[in-house]
Amino acid sequence: KIKVVKIIIENHMRLENYGKFGEKVSDKTLRKLQRNLGENLDYLLELVHADNQVHAPEYCLPQQIPNVRNRLLEISKNNQLTKLPVDGKDIMLFFGVSENPRVGKLKKAAEEIWLEHPNWGKKRILKTLKNEGGNDGKVGK
């Protein structure tokens, strides 16, 4: 329970710039939030919603979290954000490298690509990663 509270406190300001109605946040950012917080996301949304409602009228955001929740539902319906389709072994094989810190950086870059395009598969993600500089050292250095 203490770990959950810590996670919620650490993340409670992440939604600060999402806009009065949650309109300023991208689907990618919502997918990332969902992926990073997992089962703790609902607790965070409850806390932020309660906080948003008790501010002075000019800072009160009663529609932000309900709208964010609706968008998260739509994202969940349209995408299968279960597991990143690319792992470290895929990256090592594709780029012809052995296990090293760069593989982790490339995997993180692959995850960013996937969060932007959650319906893409392994081949397209790896190809995009390569095109974005994976082979010439721009990504993962």
Side-chain angles (χ1 to χ4, degrees), residues 14-106:
R14 282 180 75 171
L15 288 77
E16 181 180 35
N17 298 317
Y18 282 16
K20 188 172 183 175
F21 299 100
E23 75 281 4
K24 293 182 180 178
V25 63
S26 69
D27 286 354
K28 176 183 177 181
T29 300
L30 289 176
R31 285 190 288 270
K32 196 172 201 175
L33 183 73
Q34 188 176 39
R35 185 162 167 79
N36 291 344
L37 290 169
E39 62 191 27
N40 299 315
L41 178 58
D42 207 43
Y43 296 124
L44 175 67
L45 294 177
E46 287 296 320
L47 172 69
V48 172
H49 186 57
D51 188 44
N52 282 347
Q53 294 185 75
V54 297
H55 288 295
E58 63 270 18
Y59 300 107
C60 191
L61 307 172
Q63 295 304 313
Q64 183 193 51
I65 297 305
N67 289 343
V68 166
R69 282 185 188 279
N70 287 337
R71 288 192 49 207
L72 285 165
L73 277 173
E74 285 301 312
I75 288 168
S76 293
K77 282 182 197 174
N78 296 328
N79 303 301
Q80 307 251 327
L81 273 185
T82 52
K83 185 179 172 201
L84 177 65
V86 175
D87 62 21
K89 287 182 182 182
D90 296 323
I91 290 169
M92 289 187 287
L93 285 171
F94 185 81
F95 288 98
V97 296
S98 59
E99 193 171 334
N100 64 56
R102 183 169 178 252
V103 174
K105 291 175 184 175
L106 286 166

Side-chain angles (χ1 to χ4, degrees), residues 103-114:
V103 174
K105 291 175 184 175
L106 286 166
K107 185 176 176 190
K108 192 157 189 68
E111 182 175 22
E112 288 296 319
I113 293 167
W114 179 59

Side-chain angles (χ1 to χ4, degrees), residues 1-14 33 36-41 43-44 47:
K1 299 286 181 187
I2 292 173
K3 186 177 179 181
V4 173
V5 172
K6 182 178 184 260
I7 290 168
I8 293 167
I9 290 170
E10 287 173 348
N11 288 280
H12 82 281
M13 296 302 288
R14 282 180 75 171
L33 183 73
N36 291 344
L37 290 169
E39 62 191 27
N40 299 315
L41 178 58
Y43 296 124
L44 175 67
L47 172 69

Side-chain angles (χ1 to χ4, degrees), residues 114-138:
W114 179 59
L115 287 167
E116 185 72 37
H117 307 283
N119 298 319
W120 285 10
K122 181 189 324 187
K123 287 181 182 180
R124 191 158 182 195
I125 291 169
L126 289 169
K127 185 177 179 183
T128 302
L129 190 60
K130 180 180 179 182
N131 291 340
E132 289 184 358
N135 261 357
D136 66 5
K138 289 181 185 172

